[in-house]
Amino acid sequence: MATVAGKTANEARTNPDLEADIRQLKADIDKLTKQLAKTGEHGYGTARRAAAEGVDQLRAQGEAAFDSLRGNARDIEAQMVASVREKPVTSLAIAAGVGFLFALLTRR
C-alpha cells in the first residue's frame, strides 16, 4: 500500500471525509432517481399523446372513407333511378330475370 507521510492511504482519509462522500453519493443517487422518474413520465406522456393523435387521425380517415362510400352509393342509386325511368320495361325484365335466377339457386 502507498503511504502518505507515514500513513497508509486508508488511514489518510478521515472519517468526516468518508461521511461527506457518502452523503454526496446519496444526493447523486436521489438526483438520478428523480431524473429517471421524470424521463419515464415524459416518455409515457409522449406515447399517450402520440396514441391519441393516431386515434384521432384514424377516426378522421374512417369518417372520410364512410362519407365517400355514402356519396358513391347515392350516385349509384341516382343512376339506377335514372335508368329505370328511361327504360322501365327493360328494367322490369332484368329484375324478373334476376328474381328467377335467385329462385333457381335457392331451390337446390
Side-chain angles (χ1 to χ4, degrees):
M1 284 190 158
T3 60
V4 177
K7 294 184 178 178
T8 63
N10 289 338
E11 293 172 349
R13 295 205 63 159
T14 61
N15 199 19
D17 289 340
L18 290 175
E19 288 175 2
D21 288 345
I22 290 172
R23 280 193 301 275
Q24 183 62 41
L25 284 172
K26 285 183 180 181
D28 290 344
I29 290 172
D30 287 340
K31 188 176 178 181
L32 285 172
T33 302
K34 289 176 184 176
Q35 286 178 343
L36 286 173
K38 280 184 183 180
T39 302
E41 290 172 4
H42 177 69
Y44 173 75
T46 302
R48 186 174 178 150
R49 278 191 302 276
E53 289 172 3
V55 166
D56 291 341
Q57 184 180 9
L58 287 175
R59 181 177 292 131
Q61 287 176 351
E63 288 174 357
F66 184 73
D67 290 341
S68 175
L69 288 173
R70 185 182 299 163
N72 289 343
R74 287 181 186 151
D75 291 343
I76 291 171
E77 179 185 8
Q79 288 174 358
M80 288 177 64
V81 167
S83 177
V84 168
R85 285 190 180 155
E86 283 180 21
K87 302 176 185 178
V89 176
T90 305
S91 299
L92 184 61
I94 290 172
V98 169
F100 180 72
L101 288 175
F102 184 71
L104 284 177
L105 292 174
T106 57
R107 200 163 42 163
R108 291 184 179 200

XYZ file of all heavy atoms in Angstrom:
806
model
N 0.823 -1.170 0.000
C 0.000 0.000 0.000
C 0.876 1.245 0.000
O 1.948 1.253 0.577
C -0.881 0.041 1.241
C -2.051 -0.880 1.202
S -3.090 -0.466 2.564
C -4.562 -1.124 1.955
N 0.337 2.288 -0.612
C 1.091 3.538 -0.661
C 0.982 4.227 0.689
O -0.024 4.136 1.376
C 0.540 4.432 -1.760
N 2.021 4.929 1.037
C 1.987 5.650 2.311
C 2.021 7.135 2.059
O 2.639 7.613 1.121
C 3.184 5.267 3.196
O 4.376 5.589 2.502
C 3.142 3.801 3.523
N 1.331 7.850 2.896
C 1.298 9.300 2.839
C 1.780 9.797 4.197
O 1.079 9.669 5.189
C -0.121 9.819 2.546
C -0.170 11.322 2.547
C -0.629 9.247 1.247
N 2.993 10.329 4.230
C 3.579 10.855 5.469
C 3.509 9.822 6.588
O 3.103 10.114 7.698
C 2.913 12.145 5.877
N 3.834 8.592 6.255
C 3.899 7.553 7.272
C 2.585 6.853 7.522
O 2.513 5.987 8.364
N 1.516 7.195 6.806
C 0.213 6.547 7.000
C -0.185 5.872 5.689
O 0.195 6.325 4.620
C -0.859 7.568 7.370
C -0.633 8.218 8.711
C -1.781 9.138 9.025
C -1.598 9.771 10.383
N -2.670 10.688 10.694
N -0.954 4.843 5.793
C -1.446 4.194 4.585
C -2.553 5.051 3.974
O -3.066 5.977 4.609
C -2.002 2.783 4.901
O -3.109 2.925 5.767
C -0.940 1.899 5.495
N -2.922 4.725 2.740
C -3.938 5.505 2.036
C -5.277 5.435 2.756
O -6.011 6.415 2.811
C -4.084 5.008 0.602
N -5.581 4.294 3.339
C -6.848 4.154 4.060
C -6.866 5.004 5.326
O -7.891 5.537 5.699
C -7.104 2.698 4.421
C -7.453 1.871 3.196
O -7.883 2.410 2.179
N -7.253 0.575 3.290
N -5.732 5.099 5.978
C -5.671 5.872 7.207
C -5.656 7.365 6.918
O -6.036 8.158 7.767
C -4.420 5.480 8.010
C -4.470 4.070 8.542
C -3.141 3.655 9.167
O -2.144 4.379 9.005
O -3.120 2.616 9.804
N -5.206 7.775 5.694
C -5.097 9.186 5.361
C -6.478 9.821 5.245
O -6.643 10.997 5.532
C -4.337 9.372 4.057
N -7.456 9.068 4.834
C -8.819 9.603 4.727
C -9.457 9.564 6.105
O -9.495 8.535 6.757
C -9.629 8.772 3.744
C -9.050 8.910 2.352
C -10.018 8.665 1.328
N -11.100 9.656 1.392
C -11.892 9.926 0.382
N -11.725 9.303 -0.738
N -12.849 10.803 0.485
N -9.986 10.653 6.476
C -10.599 10.721 7.806
C -12.055 10.299 7.719
O -12.654 10.273 6.645
C -10.508 12.146 8.369
O -11.211 13.015 7.495
C -9.054 12.569 8.511
N -12.613 10.022 8.846
C -13.995 9.606 8.949
C -14.947 10.692 8.424
O -15.888 10.367 7.704
C -14.293 9.231 10.407
C -15.529 8.368 10.515
O -15.957 7.762 9.547
N -16.093 8.314 11.707
N -14.758 11.974 8.730
C -15.649 13.008 8.196
C -15.595 13.087 6.668
O -16.606 13.354 6.017
C -15.147 14.303 8.827
C -14.455 13.876 10.068
C -13.868 12.529 9.755
N -14.410 12.833 6.081
C -14.303 12.836 4.621
C -15.158 11.723 4.014
O -15.854 11.922 3.012
C -12.854 12.656 4.166
C -11.994 13.883 4.445
O -12.570 14.976 4.633
O -10.761 13.727 4.467
N -15.108 10.555 4.602
C -15.901 9.422 4.108
C -17.397 9.698 4.249
O -18.182 9.390 3.356
C -15.524 8.144 4.846
C -14.139 7.577 4.533
C -13.854 6.386 5.433
C -14.041 7.171 3.085
N -17.788 10.287 5.353
C -19.199 10.604 5.564
C -19.679 11.626 4.536
O -20.795 11.529 4.011
C -19.416 11.116 6.985
C -19.290 10.025 8.043
C -19.400 10.571 9.455
O -19.618 11.798 9.626
O -19.279 9.771 10.385
N -18.829 12.594 4.239
C -19.181 13.605 3.239
C -19.329 12.957 1.860
O -20.244 13.283 1.100
C -18.131 14.715 3.199
N -18.421 12.042 1.545
C -18.505 11.335 0.265
C -19.783 10.508 0.179
O -20.459 10.458 -0.864
C -17.284 10.443 0.057
C -16.018 11.223 -0.247
O -16.134 12.433 -0.581
O -14.923 10.632 -0.152
N -20.137 9.849 1.268
C -21.355 9.027 1.297
C -22.583 9.907 1.126
O -23.505 9.571 0.375
C -21.424 8.199 2.608
C -20.354 7.104 2.575
C -22.808 7.587 2.795
C -20.195 6.357 3.873
N -22.606 11.074 1.803
C -23.731 11.998 1.648
C -23.842 12.467 0.189
O -24.937 12.559 -0.366
C -23.567 13.200 2.581
C -23.987 12.913 4.011
C -24.114 14.198 4.819
N -22.887 14.972 4.876
C -21.895 14.779 5.761
N -22.025 13.834 6.684
N -20.813 15.521 5.747
N -22.684 12.760 -0.401
C -22.688 13.217 -1.794
C -23.196 12.107 -2.721
O -23.969 12.357 -3.636
C -21.282 13.656 -2.223
C -21.203 14.210 -3.625
C -22.049 15.456 -3.808
O -22.096 16.317 -2.946
N -22.741 15.544 -4.922
N -22.785 10.860 -2.470
C -23.260 9.732 -3.272
C -24.770 9.555 -3.126
O -25.482 9.317 -4.112
C -22.542 8.441 -2.882
C -21.106 8.287 -3.402
C -20.463 7.069 -2.777
C -21.103 8.179 -4.901
N -25.283 9.682 -1.912
C -26.729 9.569 -1.697
C -27.472 10.676 -2.436
O -28.520 10.429 -3.048
C -27.052 9.617 -0.201
C -26.730 8.341 0.539
C -27.140 8.451 1.997
C -26.821 7.174 2.748
N -27.226 7.264 4.162
N -26.948 11.885 -2.387
C -27.577 13.006 -3.089
C -27.574 12.759 -4.590
O -28.563 13.022 -5.285
C -26.865 14.308 -2.753
N -26.456 12.239 -5.095
C -26.372 11.940 -6.531
C -27.363 10.851 -6.934
O -28.008 10.943 -7.986
C -24.949 11.525 -6.914
C -23.955 12.676 -6.852
O -24.396 13.851 -6.808
O -22.731 12.401 -6.845
N -27.501 9.831 -6.096
C -28.442 8.745 -6.378
C -29.873 9.277 -6.370
O -30.681 8.941 -7.236
C -28.263 7.586 -5.370
C -26.933 6.875 -5.653
C -29.429 6.615 -5.434
C -26.551 5.853 -4.613
N -30.204 10.141 -5.396
C -31.543 10.734 -5.344
C -31.813 11.572 -6.598
O -32.904 11.514 -7.173
C -31.701 11.611 -4.100
C -31.831 10.799 -2.828
O -32.172 9.594 -2.923
O -31.589 11.365 -1.747
N -30.820 12.333 -7.000
C -30.962 13.176 -8.187
C -31.185 12.323 -9.430
O -32.058 12.610 -10.261
C -29.702 14.033 -8.354
C -29.784 15.071 -9.418
C -28.513 15.916 -9.418
C -28.516 16.949 -10.512
N -27.282 17.743 -10.525
N -30.416 11.249 -9.576
C -30.581 10.342 -10.713
C -31.952 9.669 -10.698
O -32.596 9.509 -11.739
C -29.482 9.282 -10.721
C -28.106 9.749 -11.177
C -27.074 8.648 -10.948
C -28.131 10.157 -12.628
N -32.412 9.280 -9.526
C -33.720 8.645 -9.396
C -34.825 9.598 -9.855
O -35.731 9.209 -10.590
C -33.964 8.215 -7.941
O -32.921 7.332 -7.543
C -35.303 7.523 -7.780
N -34.727 10.858 -9.436
C -35.724 11.856 -9.844
C -35.672 12.092 -11.350
O -36.708 12.220 -12.003
C -35.499 13.155 -9.086
C -35.871 13.053 -7.623
C -35.555 14.331 -6.882
C -35.848 14.157 -5.391
N -35.473 15.334 -4.613
N -34.466 12.147 -11.907
C -34.339 12.347 -13.353
C -34.926 11.177 -14.124
O -35.591 11.361 -15.148
C -32.877 12.548 -13.747
C -32.329 13.902 -13.358
C -30.860 14.055 -13.711
O -30.158 13.073 -13.961
N -30.391 15.293 -13.714
N -34.689 9.956 -13.647
C -35.260 8.780 -14.301
C -36.790 8.790 -14.218
O -37.470 8.425 -15.183
C -34.700 7.495 -13.685
C -33.267 7.152 -14.062
C -32.781 5.955 -13.255
C -33.154 6.866 -15.542
N -37.318 9.208 -13.078
C -38.771 9.279 -12.933
C -39.346 10.306 -13.904
O -40.365 10.054 -14.552
C -39.135 9.639 -11.495
N -38.690 11.468 -14.017
C -39.158 12.491 -14.965
C -39.101 11.965 -16.390
O -40.019 12.181 -17.186
C -38.291 13.752 -14.870
C -38.624 14.646 -13.734
C -37.768 15.901 -13.809
C -37.999 16.812 -12.650
N -37.160 18.025 -12.719
N -38.031 11.281 -16.733
C -37.887 10.736 -18.078
C -38.980 9.716 -18.360
O -39.572 9.707 -19.437
C -36.495 10.083 -18.250
O -35.500 11.061 -17.983
C -36.311 9.537 -19.641
N -39.276 8.873 -17.396
C -40.347 7.882 -17.561
C -41.701 8.546 -17.743
O -42.488 8.145 -18.598
N -41.978 9.573 -16.941
C -43.248 10.285 -17.075
C -43.340 10.987 -18.415
O -44.386 10.985 -19.061
C -43.408 11.298 -15.938
C -43.637 10.663 -14.576
C -43.606 11.686 -13.449
O -43.490 12.892 -13.729
O -43.698 11.268 -12.292
N -42.239 11.574 -18.833
C -42.219 12.274 -20.120
C -42.449 11.281 -21.260
O -43.217 11.551 -22.181
C -40.885 12.998 -20.304
C -40.743 13.682 -21.616
N -41.491 14.792 -21.954
C -39.973 13.407 -22.696
C -41.165 15.170 -23.173
N -40.246 14.351 -23.643
N -41.787 10.133 -21.190
C -41.961 9.106 -22.220
C -43.389 8.593 -22.264
O -43.957 8.405 -23.333
N -43.993 8.400 -21.100
C -45.384 7.937 -21.036
C -46.312 8.983 -21.622
O -47.213 8.664 -22.401
C -45.762 7.624 -19.584
C -47.220 7.310 -19.393
C -47.725 6.074 -19.789
C -48.091 8.233 -18.837
C -49.070 5.774 -19.629
C -49.431 7.941 -18.669
C -49.912 6.708 -19.063
O -51.238 6.419 -18.904
N -46.080 10.242 -21.252
C -46.920 11.323 -21.776
C -46.791 11.453 -23.282
O -47.794 11.638 -23.989
N -45.580 11.338 -23.776
C -45.357 11.424 -25.221
C -46.039 10.272 -25.940
O -46.695 10.469 -26.973
C -43.844 11.417 -25.524
O -43.232 12.523 -24.846
C -43.576 11.528 -27.005
N -45.911 9.076 -25.417
C -46.545 7.907 -26.038
C -48.065 8.044 -26.005
O -48.751 7.720 -26.983
C -46.117 6.632 -25.317
N -48.596 8.563 -24.922
C -50.033 8.726 -24.807
C -50.550 9.764 -25.805
O -51.582 9.563 -26.452
C -50.393 9.129 -23.382
C -51.865 9.180 -23.152
C -52.177 9.434 -21.710
N -53.617 9.517 -21.576
C -54.267 9.184 -20.508
N -53.617 8.749 -19.465
N -55.562 9.283 -20.465
N -49.817 10.879 -25.936
C -50.215 11.902 -26.903
C -50.151 11.356 -28.322
O -51.038 11.607 -29.139
C -49.318 13.138 -26.781
C -49.730 14.083 -25.680
C -48.980 15.404 -25.779
N -47.539 15.256 -25.727
C -46.817 15.161 -24.630
N -47.401 15.201 -23.458
N -45.509 15.026 -24.679
N -49.091 10.599 -28.620
C -48.958 10.028 -29.965
C -50.100 9.055 -30.250
O -50.653 9.038 -31.356
C -47.610 9.321 -30.105
N -50.468 8.259 -29.260
C -51.577 7.318 -29.450
C -52.891 8.063 -29.655
O -53.696 7.689 -30.510
C -51.674 6.382 -28.248
N -53.115 9.115 -28.885
C -54.352 9.892 -29.027
C -54.410 10.547 -30.406
O -55.467 10.560 -31.047
C -54.437 10.956 -27.932
N -53.279 11.071 -30.871
C -53.247 11.672 -32.202
C -53.510 10.621 -33.279
O -54.205 10.879 -34.257
C -51.908 12.355 -32.442
C -51.709 13.620 -31.625
C -50.299 14.176 -31.717
O -49.477 13.618 -32.468
O -50.025 15.173 -31.028
N -52.942 9.419 -33.084
C -53.174 8.331 -34.032
C -54.640 7.935 -34.084
O -55.189 7.697 -35.163
N -55.278 7.870 -32.936
C -56.699 7.518 -32.881
C -57.525 8.586 -33.585
O -58.434 8.272 -34.368
C -57.158 7.346 -31.407
C -58.671 7.320 -31.301
C -56.570 6.081 -30.821
N -57.204 9.849 -33.309
C -57.938 10.940 -33.965
C -57.761 10.890 -35.481
O -58.711 11.092 -36.234
C -57.479 12.297 -33.434
C -57.889 12.526 -31.987
O -58.819 11.827 -31.512
O -57.283 13.400 -31.333
N -56.538 10.622 -35.912
C -56.264 10.549 -37.348
C -57.016 9.382 -37.987
O -57.619 9.526 -39.055
C -54.768 10.409 -37.592
C -54.379 10.424 -39.051
C -52.880 10.290 -39.247
O -52.138 10.021 -38.320
N -52.432 10.479 -40.463
N -57.010 8.226 -37.338
C -57.731 7.071 -37.865
C -59.237 7.325 -37.899
O -59.920 6.924 -38.841
C -57.422 5.827 -37.037
C -56.036 5.225 -37.235
C -55.818 4.070 -36.251
C -55.843 4.752 -38.656
N -59.752 7.995 -36.883
C -61.178 8.322 -36.848
C -61.534 9.235 -38.019
O -62.536 9.028 -38.706
C -61.554 8.988 -35.533
C -63.046 9.324 -35.451
C -63.430 9.920 -34.117
N -63.305 8.914 -33.082
C -62.675 9.093 -31.928
N -62.119 10.254 -31.649
N -62.611 8.126 -31.041
N -60.695 10.234 -38.252
C -60.953 11.163 -39.360
C -60.891 10.436 -40.698
O -61.735 10.668 -41.578
C -59.939 12.304 -39.331
N -59.919 9.534 -40.859
C -59.817 8.768 -42.104
C -61.028 7.864 -42.286
O -61.554 7.715 -43.394
C -58.540 7.932 -42.111
C -57.281 8.739 -42.305
C -56.028 7.881 -42.210
O -56.080 6.716 -41.837
N -54.893 8.472 -42.541
N -61.477 7.237 -41.204
C -62.654 6.367 -41.278
C -63.904 7.140 -41.646
O -64.710 6.686 -42.469
N -64.064 8.320 -41.051
C -65.232 9.133 -41.371
C -65.186 9.603 -42.823
O -66.213 9.624 -43.508
C -65.307 10.333 -40.430
C -65.704 9.951 -39.019
C -65.644 11.111 -38.043
O -65.231 12.222 -38.446
O -65.998 10.908 -36.872
N -63.989 9.950 -43.304
C -63.855 10.385 -44.703
C -64.184 9.225 -45.650
O -64.871 9.425 -46.661
C -62.442 10.899 -44.959
N -63.707 8.025 -45.318
C -63.996 6.858 -46.157
C -65.492 6.550 -46.144
O -66.082 6.236 -47.185
C -63.203 5.648 -45.672
N -66.123 6.650 -44.982
C -67.565 6.401 -44.871
C -68.347 7.417 -45.689
O -69.301 7.061 -46.397
C -67.983 6.442 -43.398
C -69.420 6.112 -43.171
C -69.876 4.815 -43.297
C -70.333 7.102 -42.841
C -71.209 4.496 -43.097
C -71.661 6.810 -42.638
C -72.105 5.504 -42.763
N -67.963 8.680 -45.592
C -68.642 9.721 -46.380
C -68.472 9.480 -47.874
O -69.400 9.677 -48.660
C -68.112 11.105 -46.006
C -68.545 11.536 -44.610
O -69.514 10.952 -44.084
O -67.905 12.452 -44.054
N -67.275 9.038 -48.270
C -67.022 8.738 -49.678
C -67.905 7.584 -50.153
O -68.500 7.643 -51.236
C -65.550 8.397 -49.882
O -65.301 7.995 -51.200
N -67.998 6.517 -49.358
C -68.855 5.381 -49.708
C -70.325 5.791 -49.780
O -71.061 5.350 -50.665
C -68.678 4.253 -48.699
C -67.362 3.484 -48.779
C -67.258 2.503 -47.616
C -67.261 2.751 -50.097
N -70.734 6.619 -48.847
C -72.113 7.095 -48.853
C -72.398 7.891 -50.122
O -73.437 7.720 -50.760
C -72.379 7.966 -47.629
C -73.840 8.385 -47.516
C -74.088 9.284 -46.331
N -73.748 8.580 -45.103
C -73.543 9.188 -43.939
N -73.636 10.494 -43.836
N -73.259 8.487 -42.872
N -71.457 8.739 -50.527
C -71.613 9.511 -51.758
C -71.672 8.616 -52.979
O -72.492 8.827 -53.892
N -70.809 7.584 -53.008
C -70.826 6.635 -54.126
C -72.152 5.881 -54.191
O -72.695 5.654 -55.280
C -69.671 5.641 -54.011
C -68.323 6.273 -54.277
O -68.243 7.361 -54.837
N -67.257 5.609 -53.857
N -72.667 5.491 -53.028
C -73.952 4.778 -53.004
C -75.076 5.679 -53.511
O -75.955 5.223 -54.258
C -74.259 4.299 -51.588
N -75.039 6.944 -53.143
C -76.066 7.883 -53.644
C -75.968 8.044 -55.159
O -76.990 8.106 -55.855
C -75.913 9.231 -52.967
C -76.367 9.236 -51.533
C -76.219 10.604 -50.906
N -76.534 10.542 -49.492
C -76.014 11.334 -48.585
N -75.159 12.277 -48.931
N -76.353 11.209 -47.326
N -74.732 8.100 -55.666
C -74.543 8.224 -57.114
C -75.092 7.002 -57.848
O -75.777 7.133 -58.872
C -73.061 8.412 -57.455
C -72.513 9.756 -56.998
O -73.318 10.662 -56.710
O -71.272 9.880 -56.928
N -74.796 5.811 -57.322
C -75.286 4.580 -57.950
C -76.813 4.533 -57.909
O -77.461 4.159 -58.886
C -74.665 3.339 -57.268
C -73.164 3.273 -57.589
C -75.369 2.065 -57.687
C -72.404 2.229 -56.795
N -77.370 4.937 -56.768
C -78.830 4.957 -56.651
C -79.436 5.921 -57.673
O -80.437 5.593 -58.335
C -79.234 5.372 -55.237
C -80.731 5.437 -55.034
C -81.117 5.968 -53.663
O -80.228 6.429 -52.931
O -82.319 5.926 -53.358
N -78.841 7.071 -57.817
C -79.349 8.053 -58.779
C -79.256 7.519 -60.206
O -80.173 7.711 -61.016
C -78.571 9.364 -58.655
N -78.160 6.815 -60.520
C -78.016 6.232 -61.860
C -79.072 5.160 -62.104
O -79.639 5.065 -63.204
C -76.613 5.637 -62.030
C -75.515 6.671 -62.147
C -74.129 6.027 -62.164
O -73.992 4.813 -62.043
N -73.108 6.864 -62.318
N -79.339 4.341 -61.086
C -80.347 3.291 -61.242
C -81.734 3.892 -61.433
O -82.510 3.431 -62.280
C -80.326 2.356 -60.029
C -79.114 1.449 -59.977
S -79.060 0.411 -58.512
C -80.501 -0.594 -58.738
N -82.060 4.906 -60.667
C -83.366 5.548 -60.791
C -83.510 6.155 -62.180
O -84.557 6.009 -62.841
C -83.551 6.609 -59.685
C -84.756 7.503 -59.965
C -83.700 5.934 -58.334
N -82.436 6.809 -62.656
C -82.484 7.411 -63.993
C -82.642 6.331 -65.061
O -83.402 6.489 -66.023
C -81.231 8.234 -64.252
N -81.953 5.216 -64.905
C -82.043 4.123 -65.870
C -83.441 3.517 -65.887
O -83.976 3.213 -66.951
C -81.002 3.057 -65.519
O -81.107 1.963 -66.392
N -84.030 3.326 -64.718
C -85.383 2.764 -64.638
C -86.385 3.719 -65.274
O -87.317 3.299 -65.973
C -85.750 2.439 -63.176
C -87.233 2.135 -63.025
C -84.918 1.274 -62.672
N -86.204 5.005 -65.067
C -87.131 5.983 -65.657
C -86.990 6.057 -67.166
O -87.979 6.272 -67.872
C -86.887 7.357 -65.045
C -87.436 7.453 -63.650
C -87.432 8.853 -63.120
N -87.975 8.843 -61.755
C -87.699 9.750 -60.864
N -86.899 10.753 -61.156
N -88.228 9.663 -59.659
N -85.749 5.860 -67.643
C -85.535 5.903 -69.095
C -86.091 4.666 -69.781
O -86.696 4.745 -70.849
C -84.045 6.022 -69.416
C -83.459 7.392 -69.229
C -81.982 7.428 -69.567
O -81.484 6.541 -70.293
O -81.313 8.353 -69.087
N -85.858 3.488 -69.173
C -86.252 2.219 -69.800
C -86.961 1.351 -68.763
O -86.406 0.385 -68.253
C -85.017 1.501 -70.326
C -84.225 2.310 -71.330
C -82.963 1.580 -71.727
C -82.134 2.469 -72.635
N -80.877 1.858 -73.015
N -88.215 1.649 -68.465
C -88.917 0.889 -67.430
C -89.164 -0.563 -67.807
O -89.082 -1.450 -66.955
C -90.226 1.648 -67.237
C -90.401 2.468 -68.451
C -89.039 2.716 -69.000
N -89.437 -0.855 -69.069
C -89.724 -2.241 -69.477
C -88.460 -3.078 -69.370
O -88.483 -4.211 -68.853
C -90.308 -2.270 -70.913
C -90.512 -3.693 -71.380
C -91.602 -1.497 -70.967
N -87.332 -2.538 -69.818
C -86.064 -3.274 -69.739
C -85.689 -3.522 -68.284
O -85.245 -4.620 -67.918
C -84.939 -2.472 -70.433
O -85.350 -2.179 -71.768
C -83.650 -3.231 -70.456
N -85.875 -2.531 -67.444
C -85.556 -2.675 -66.024
C -86.422 -3.743 -65.377
O -85.941 -4.534 -64.562
C -85.753 -1.345 -65.303
O -84.910 -0.366 -65.840
N -87.706 -3.781 -65.745
C -88.618 -4.791 -65.204
C -88.200 -6.186 -65.654
O -88.212 -7.131 -64.864
C -90.053 -4.488 -65.638
C -91.139 -5.397 -65.068
C -91.174 -5.301 -63.554
C -92.488 -5.037 -65.654
N -87.786 -6.320 -66.914
C -87.343 -7.614 -67.433
C -86.071 -8.073 -66.720
O -85.931 -9.253 -66.373
C -87.109 -7.516 -68.940
N -85.150 -7.163 -66.480
C -83.903 -7.519 -65.771
C -84.229 -7.957 -64.346
O -83.704 -8.967 -63.856
C -82.922 -6.334 -65.785
C -82.388 -6.119 -67.202
C -81.774 -6.563 -64.814
C -81.557 -4.859 -67.352
N -85.108 -7.215 -63.662
C -85.483 -7.570 -62.292
C -86.145 -8.945 -62.255
O -85.880 -9.753 -61.348
C -86.417 -6.512 -61.716
N -86.999 -9.239 -63.221
C -87.663 -10.552 -63.270
C -86.636 -11.657 -63.510
O -86.703 -12.728 -62.893
C -88.734 -10.557 -64.351
N -85.689 -11.411 -64.408
C -84.656 -12.406 -64.689
C -83.786 -12.692 -63.477
O -83.477 -13.842 -63.163
N -83.399 -11.650 -62.760
C -82.585 -11.827 -61.549
C -83.389 -12.583 -60.497
O -82.868 -13.489 -59.831
C -82.100 -10.457 -61.016
C -81.482 -10.579 -59.633
C -81.106 -9.825 -61.985
N -84.669 -12.267 -60.361
C -85.518 -12.977 -59.400
C -85.660 -14.441 -59.752
O -85.626 -15.311 -58.878
N -85.802 -14.745 -61.044
C -85.923 -16.135 -61.494
C -84.638 -16.911 -61.195
O -84.690 -18.039 -60.687
C -86.223 -16.162 -62.996
C -86.364 -17.547 -63.555
C -87.487 -18.319 -63.266
C -85.366 -18.089 -64.359
C -87.607 -19.603 -63.782
C -85.487 -19.371 -64.867
C -86.605 -20.138 -64.583
N -83.469 -16.295 -61.503
C -82.181 -16.966 -61.201
C -82.002 -17.181 -59.703
O -81.532 -18.237 -59.276
C -81.013 -16.136 -61.754
C -80.853 -16.144 -63.277
C -79.735 -15.189 -63.676
C -80.540 -17.552 -63.757
N -82.381 -16.215 -58.917
C -82.275 -16.343 -57.464
C -83.151 -17.480 -56.960
O -82.757 -18.266 -56.104
C -82.648 -15.017 -56.787
C -82.484 -15.031 -55.305
C -81.221 -15.057 -54.732
C -83.595 -15.033 -54.472
C -81.079 -15.083 -53.357
C -83.463 -15.079 -53.097
C -82.186 -15.080 -52.534
N -84.348 -17.603 -57.519
C -85.267 -18.694 -57.132
C -84.695 -20.040 -57.494
O -84.797 -21.007 -56.747
C -86.629 -18.481 -57.793
N -84.086 -20.151 -58.679
C -83.461 -21.418 -59.089
C -82.323 -21.799 -58.144
O -82.163 -22.973 -57.778
C -82.936 -21.318 -60.514
C -83.951 -21.383 -61.657
C -83.250 -21.199 -62.996
C -84.671 -22.735 -61.625
N -81.519 -20.831 -57.785
C -80.381 -21.114 -56.914
C -80.801 -21.516 -55.506
O -80.181 -22.382 -54.869
C -79.442 -19.902 -56.844
C -78.687 -19.568 -58.133
C -77.918 -18.270 -57.969
C -77.736 -20.713 -58.497
N -81.839 -20.927 -54.989
C -82.268 -21.237 -53.623
C -83.088 -22.500 -53.538
O -83.208 -23.083 -52.466
C -83.089 -20.063 -53.027
O -84.198 -19.769 -53.863
C -82.208 -18.819 -52.863
N -83.636 -22.953 -54.639
C -84.455 -24.162 -54.634
C -83.590 -25.403 -54.497
O -84.037 -26.428 -53.992
C -85.290 -24.227 -55.894
C -86.460 -25.129 -55.748
C -87.533 -24.976 -56.756
N -87.122 -24.798 -58.134
C -87.899 -24.965 -59.153
N -89.157 -25.323 -58.962
N -87.502 -24.771 -60.375
N -82.372 -25.362 -54.901
C -81.500 -26.558 -54.840
C -80.978 -26.787 -53.516
O -80.609 -26.728 -52.628
C -80.358 -26.396 -55.832
C -80.852 -26.462 -57.233
C -79.723 -26.409 -58.170
N -80.266 -26.492 -59.536
C -79.559 -26.848 -60.556
N -78.302 -27.142 -60.433
N -80.093 -26.904 -61.742
